[in-house]
Structure formats: structure tokens, C-alpha cells
Amino acid sequence: MSKNASTRDSRFAQLIGLELKAEFARKEISQGDVADKLGHSRSGYSRWLNAKPSMPLEAFLNTCELIGADPRTIMDAAYERLTKEMGNPQDISPSDPADEANAALASADNGIDIDAWANQIKAKDSVRDSE
């Protein structure tokens, strides 16, 4: 992963936390109360909001549902701020060949039907479990 990609994902996590904090303020809810209601320590929850480390997706979703916020709106606002600060990812040239290869693979239409592939894995798992 390039340094820029690492910086972008860290900044995105920070912006998610900032958007959640703004939502708490708009709804006059304390982050400590949210942490308590979700069963997390206040200090650990505060670290998540500050992206040290990033908030797990489950905690993010539970937070949004608890405070009545649309998670898509929070993420969209954070991503919009990210692109204003750091530009769009397609405008940033990869810094090493591995990043270029990963970008090419991600954008390639390889014809894989993900649903069919997942069903094959489930079928193999069920055969293995029945043995």
C-alpha cells in the first residue's frame, strides 16, 4: 500500500469520527452516553472517534442506529471532505508498481460472478461439514 493510500484511509477514519461528533452535537447527545448505551468504555469509544484505532464497522453502524443517523449520510459527508482535502483517488498516481498492478486488477472486468463463487464456497463448506 502506498503512503498516500495509507494517509487517505487514516484521514477518512478521522473524518468519520468528526462527522459522528457533529451529529452528536446536532442531536445534543454526549459521546459518553452513546458509549455507555453501546456497552463500550468511554475511553475506548473516544479513541475510535479519533481514529486511534479506526472504529470497527459494527460499532459505526450501531452508533448510527442508536442516534438515528443514516450511516450513508455520515460516510458520504466524510468522503466528500476527504476528496476536497486530498483529491479523488483516480487523480493520484500510484507510487510503486504494486499499487499500479492492484489498481489495474481492481478495475479489470474479469468476468467473475461473485454470487456464484460465494455459492460454490458455501456448497464446498456444507459438504466438508457433513463429512
Side-chain angles (χ1 to χ4, degrees), residues 18-126:
L18 289 172
E19 291 296 330
L20 284 172
K21 289 178 186 180
E23 195 68 21
F24 295 156
R26 281 190 288 276
K27 296 183 183 246
E28 299 180 359
I29 301 171
S30 80
Q31 72 185 44
D33 288 344
V34 173
D36 293 342
K37 288 177 182 174
L38 292 176
H40 301 295
S41 73
R42 288 177 176 224
S43 62
Y45 192 76
S46 177
R47 284 192 299 272
W48 283 343
L49 288 172
N50 292 312
K52 296 178 183 185
S54 299
M55 179 180 281
L57 186 57
E58 295 85 358
F60 170 72
L61 182 61
N62 290 337
T63 297
C64 290
E65 289 178 349
L66 178 70
I67 66 173
D70 183 349
R72 292 168 296 197
T73 301
I74 300 290
M75 291 190 112
D76 287 347
Y79 195 73
E80 184 178 333
R81 289 175 67 173
L82 179 71
T83 56
K84 283 180 182 174
E85 287 180 17
M86 303 183 84
N88 289 313
Q90 64 269 19
D91 298 337
I92 302 166
S93 60
S95 62
D96 76 313
D99 285 341
E100 289 179 19
N102 287 333
L105 285 172
S107 66
D109 180 11
N110 55 16
I112 294 175
D113 180 348
I114 296 297
D115 292 328
W117 182 66
N119 288 334
Q120 287 177 351
I121 291 171
K122 285 180 190 175
K124 287 178 185 176
D125 286 347
S126 66

